[in-house]
Amino acid sequence: MAEIVNSGTDRLPSGTISAIRGGIVDVAFAKGCPQIETLLHAGDVPMEVAAIVGDGVVRCIALAPVRGLGLGARVTNSGAAITVPVGEAVLGRMLDMFGAPLDGLPPPEGEDRHTIHRAPPPLSERVLRAEVLETGIKAIDLLSPIERGGKTGLFGGAGVGKTVLLSELIHNTVEHHHGVSLFCGIGERSREAEELWREMGEAGVRDQMVMLFGQMNEAPGVRFLVGKSALTMAEYFRDTRGQDVLVLIDNIFRFVQAGSELSGLLGRMPSRVGYQPTLATELAALEERIASTRSGAITSIQAVYVPADDFTDPAAAHIFSHLSASVVLSRKRASEGLYPAVDPLASTSVMLTPGVVGQRHYDIARAVRRTLAEYEDLRDIIAMLGIEELSAHDRAVVARARRLERFLTQPFFTVGASAGTTGRLVPIDETLEGCEAILSQTTFDHPESAYYMIGGLSDLKEDAA
């Protein structure tokens, strides 16, 4: 739906500010009360109508700092919802929630703008595509394959490597992705935005990317709405241009957090663990717009911060329900230096079935999980009695499991300069061959450390030579 152009904006009645509470502003109109989701302006501060609280009084979310506003200040009515530019003009750009430039270049040219509040595609337009998006990351392609046209979550607490893994996924998939890529930063550090912008330029993939940012220092309303701006741009490429779109979001939990902050300021009664009572509705309104249609597909990979590593947290639980694949990052594996710190027993995917990935892939993935689970059960015995007290069968299981753990580590391109390593992109066939070879052996020619931070098993042979 294109932007609603109102030639009579100047004739719309203006209002006055009657109350200010944090990022929430009440505005009184003598007549012509604006509708929900209408964009208002109080000087340089844009605001969106969130609720109608009385006769002619609306409650608005401020989308910029409210410093300088005062009671009685004049508020103008735009008569329309927030819109963003779409199309070729936004490719290769770094923009804010309104589609304004953050890269120091002129605003995107072109007059095609769409409202950010759009309904998900109807069920009659949706299609299912049982295809896997290969990432070149061994642990993900083997144990939690990503669905093309689906939603994947990277779950983990603070400091376990979500942003690094997301950056590597961008590096590996954007270059080979035959469509448009869109990165949406919600409530993350400004330093990370600058680093990603520079890295994508150096990799030569920025021309087919759009980057939108609503950073942690911005108003909660911006962090809450920037995801909708990003999906509006993605939907244009899917529905109008018929292209596949790869949407990367860092971090979807900050969207929930911004909604919780706004809910408290709006005076709503908090729900479980202090979250907003509308958590499920707000999350579904965003997530359900990510879908495959007859025109094209939107594939989404989302980093998800898990508060205090508690996966029963309501935010994590609600996000889980929308995903087709969950990549869980383990603090324990990160502390052992096993990067990416993917938990092989907790990570899941609806794609990991014989009908989608093939019987061989399915059997190898199950065997890897089974071996690692057996090793996990033996850890306590080893800690108390030592590995010498195990049976020959159990010692072979431990030897295989420890090598599989190290084989599933991988040097990344995005941290190669700081780590002094060269990144590896491993095709799924090489990953399967390597795991199959390890699972079939009971004695090994190479120590465990030789399997650490390599690509395929061919790297092991080259190092030995």
Side-chain angles (χ1 to χ4, degrees):
M1 178 179 176
E3 176 190 16
I4 302 170
V5 179
N6 193 322
S7 58
T9 298
D10 294 338
R11 295 193 297 273
L12 290 172
S14 60
T16 56
I17 294 177
S18 58
I20 302 174
R21 290 182 300 280
I24 301 299
V25 180
D26 286 359
V27 182
F29 288 83
K31 58 179 180 177
C33 184
Q35 298 177 346
I36 302 289
E37 296 177 354
T38 301
L39 178 64
L40 311 180
H41 287 91
D44 295 332
V45 179
M47 303 183 296
E48 184 183 70
V49 177
I52 299 173
V53 295
D55 186 15
V57 179
V58 295
R59 188 155 289 167
C60 306
I61 299 169
L63 303 176
V66 295
R67 289 189 299 273
L69 295 185
L71 300 182
R74 182 172 179 267
V75 177
T76 58
N77 181 1
S78 72
I82 298 170
T83 61
V84 291
V86 296
E88 293 284 340
V90 300
L91 290 176
R93 302 300 304 274
M94 180 162 61
L95 309 170
D96 66 8
M97 191 204 88
F98 295 96
L102 296 172
D103 49 16
L105 300 175
E109 296 180 359
E111 298 180 356
D112 201 2
R113 297 178 70 93
H114 288 188
T115 177
I116 67 170
H117 298 288
R118 301 164 64 84
L123 291 176
S124 58
E125 289 296 316
R126 295 180 183 237
V127 295
L128 292 176
R129 303 181 181 187
E131 299 177 39
V132 171
L133 180 69
E134 192 170 327
T135 66
I137 298 173
K138 291 181 287 188
I140 293 178
D141 287 343
L142 175 69
L143 300 169
S144 186
I146 292 175
E147 179 187 7
R148 187 185 298 275
K151 297 182 276 284
T152 299
L154 307 180
F155 288 83
V160 295
K162 295 186 301 299
T163 300
V164 172
L165 183 55
L166 192 65
S167 299
E168 188 72 5
L169 284 166
I170 293 171
H171 181 280
N172 291 3
T173 55
V174 167
E175 193 170 348
H176 306 96
H177 180 66
H178 304 297
V180 175
S181 302
L182 194 149
F183 180 88
C184 178
I186 305 177
E188 290 299 293
R189 304 168 188 85
S190 299
R191 169 184 59 79
E192 292 174 350
E194 190 277 330
E195 284 179 355
L196 185 65
W197 172 254
R198 186 162 28 84
E199 286 169 4
M200 293 302 103
E202 292 169 357
V205 297
R206 203 160 61 194
D207 290 344
Q208 286 300 306
M209 280 194 79
V210 189
M211 295 189 186
L212 271 82
F213 292 99
Q215 298 304 94
M216 60 170 52
N217 62 317
E218 297 191 61
V222 172
R223 287 180 269 129
F224 185 69
L225 294 175
V226 68
K228 296 183 179 182
S229 298
L231 287 181
T232 299
M233 295 182 184
E235 286 165 341
Y236 173 84
F237 287 108
R238 180 193 66 190
D239 299 337
T240 306
R241 304 292 297 275
Q243 293 178 284
D244 283 357
V245 188
L246 180 63
V247 176
L248 304 120
I249 302 175
D250 188 13
N251 186 300
I252 196 68
F253 174 78
R254 307 296 177 196
F255 165 78
V256 174
Q257 201 173 38
S260 177
E261 193 174 335
L262 290 172
S263 179
L265 290 169
L266 287 167
R268 295 175 184 149
M269 184 72 71
S271 184
R272 191 159 67 97
V273 199
Y275 285 107
Q276 63 270 41
T278 53
L279 168 61
T281 303
E282 291 170 357
L283 192 61
L286 185 75
E287 294 281 7
E288 284 301 298
R289 290 172 64 178
I290 302 170
S292 295
T293 67
R294 301 180 197 282
S295 305
I298 297 179
T299 304
S300 174
I301 302 173
Q302 309 169 10
V304 187
Y305 169 70
V306 180
D309 294 340
D310 179 14
F311 285 88
T312 63
D313 184 88
H318 278 92
I319 294 168
F320 257 124
S321 64
H322 290 278
L323 304 175
S324 56
S326 301
V327 179
V328 179
L329 302 182
S330 160
R331 190 173 301 281
K332 180 172 177 290
R333 292 178 68 82
S335 67
E336 295 172 357
L338 301 174
Y339 289 103
V342 175
D343 188 329
L345 303 180
S347 300
T348 59
S349 172
V350 298
M351 293 287 100
L352 193 60
T353 62
V356 177
V357 298
Q359 190 66 47
R360 176 172 175 252
H361 183 158
Y362 177 72
D363 290 342
I364 292 172
R366 284 191 64 190
V368 168
R369 278 213 175 101
R370 185 167 55 248
T371 303
L372 294 174
E374 288 179 29
Y375 174 49
E376 199 64 33
D377 292 339
L378 293 169
R379 278 178 181 267
D380 289 341
I381 298 174
I382 295 169
M384 289 186 293
L385 304 177
I387 197 168
E388 295 79 11
E389 298 299 318
L390 298 179
S391 66
H393 170 76
D394 287 345
R395 283 201 297 273
V397 167
V398 171
R400 285 193 289 266
R402 289 179 67 86
R403 282 163 177 81
L404 282 170
E405 281 186 335
R406 282 146 185 78
F407 180 66
L408 291 177
T409 63
Q410 190 168 339
F412 280 177
F413 291 96
T414 49
V415 294
S418 57
T421 58
T422 304
R424 294 283 192 278
L425 191 150
V426 185
I428 184 61
D429 290 337
E430 281 190 39
T431 301
L432 295 175
E433 287 170 10
C435 291
E436 200 170 36
I438 294 170
L439 289 166
S440 65
Q441 294 176 267
T442 54
T443 59
F444 297 88
D445 298 328
H446 303 285
E448 297 168 6
S449 58
Y451 293 81
Y452 181 68
M453 285 295 171
I454 62 172
L457 282 188
S458 58
D459 289 355
L460 188 71
K461 295 169 184 174
E462 288 171 10
D463 290 344

